Amino acid sequence: MHIALNCVSYMNESINEHLHLLTKLALKGDEETAELLINILLSLEALQIRAIAYLLVYQIIMNTYIDLTEECKKCGGVCCKFGEPIELYSFDVEDLKSIVMEFDNYVIKNCGKVYLPRPCPFQNEWACSVHNVKPYACLSYPFAVENLQKDVISSYTYSHPPRPFIPHFCLAGQKVWNIIDSTIKDYKFLHGKEPLPQDLLKYTSKKLKVHI
Ligand code: SF4
Ligand code: SF4
């Protein structure tokens, strides 16, 4: 299922909805929210949550600092075409309704939940026609999708940046990981240690901002 990374199995459920909204803001490139979120996650001092913090950083880097137009075009938008319906959070529905007329015509409603079908009705050839208000799940693909990364998270045993799982068709994810991997090597060469999630985000954003 194409759902956003879910900390519910590691955290108190009462803060889960709020955490998802914070995470969506961070995934959209809000630097202050990203810093706050990473600090909250790391304060929990659990190894699996540290892995989640790294994966979120990878996804923020993908969403914010790297142009992936060519890769997504070449792939043809596979992640929007195939798979189970995408669950929408209430904040996703509000965001989409701000620009989509007759919203109810595009979604599936079941047991009080709202889903986007796939192929997604908002896909225009390979591109997303609602890019600025795309759902949390879409902003999470592929590094912050729980189902894709569950083995990476559960087998995480040491505090280094984890190697993510990337579907073979996701050329964008492969490009992003190559950039992050070489950035981690640069950081280690300069500082003599592995970057923490917040270090990796700061270092990568500084390095990549120069080129955009
Ligand atoms: S994110 Fe990956 S799977 Fe989705 S369109 Fe881009 S390359 Fe394809
Ligand atoms: S909303 Fe946009 S990114 Fe999400 S599945 Fe639809 S076309 Fe793809």
Side-chain angles (χ1 to χ4, degrees):
M1 192 167 174
H2 189 94
I3 54 169
L5 193 75
N6 193 333
C7 295
V8 73
S9 45
Y10 304 107
M11 301 184 68
N12 183 330
E13 196 164 349
S14 68
I15 61 169
N16 204 40
E17 176 79 14
H18 195 63
L19 184 72
H20 281 306
L21 181 53
L22 270 185
T23 309
K24 183 173 183 183
L25 291 174
L27 290 170
K28 287 181 91 168
D30 183 317
E31 290 178 10
E32 277 181 24
T33 306
E35 201 179 323
L36 173 68
L37 180 67
I38 292 166
N39 286 338
I40 291 172
L41 293 175
L42 295 182
S43 72
L44 297 166
E45 294 183 0
L47 217 45
Q48 277 74 25
I49 293 181
R50 182 180 287 237
I52 289 172
Y54 275 117
L55 291 164
L56 283 170
V57 166
Y58 301 167
Q59 192 65 44
I60 292 168
I61 291 168
M62 174 166 181
N63 295 352
T64 314
Y65 301 113
I66 303 175
D67 180 4
L68 299 164
T69 308
E70 284 312 311
E71 288 72 22
C72 291
K73 197 171 178 177
K74 198 166 169 192
C75 149
V78 170
C79 58
C80 307
K81 282 194 175 85
F82 303 104
E84 291 181 25
I86 297 165
E87 186 178 342
L88 301 179
Y89 284 78
S90 55
F91 47 78
D92 291 324
V93 171
E94 277 176 39
D95 287 349
L96 284 164
K97 277 186 171 173
S98 70
I99 66 159
V100 176
M101 304 282 282
E102 299 179 357
F103 173 79
D104 286 353
N105 291 346
Y106 296 97
V107 296
I108 302 165
K109 292 187 178 175
N110 191 17
C111 300
K113 294 191 171 182
V114 184
Y115 301 86
L116 264 186
R118 278 191 279 185
C120 177
F122 301 130
Q123 190 177 32
N124 182 6
E125 296 185 7
W126 60 272
C128 177
S129 66
V130 292
H131 181 70
N132 290 336
V133 293
K134 65 169 59 163
Y136 178 27
C138 308
L139 289 164
S140 304
Y141 192 87
F143 301 112
V145 174
E146 184 190 22
N147 282 7
L148 287 183
Q149 306 300 340
K150 64 177 188 287
D151 290 345
V152 175
I153 295 166
S154 64
S155 63
Y156 188 69
T157 53
Y158 174 63
S159 56
H160 56 79
R163 187 178 191 86
F165 171 77
I166 303 166
H168 66 91
F169 52 79
C170 185
L171 306 178
Q174 284 156 24
K175 174 177 174 177
V176 172
W177 174 243
N178 287 341
I179 292 171
I180 291 173
D181 194 33
S182 90
T183 306
I184 291 168
K185 287 181 179 124
D186 281 0
Y187 184 96
K188 279 168 74 176
F189 181 75
L190 276 175
H191 298 274
K193 60 177 185 178
E194 306 270 4
L196 292 169
Q198 63 273 40
D199 299 330
L200 181 61
L201 183 59
K202 277 192 197 134
Y203 185 74
T204 312
S205 68
K206 205 185 284 178
K207 187 174 156 187
L208 297 181
K209 263 182 189 167
V210 174
H211 297 104
I212 55 176

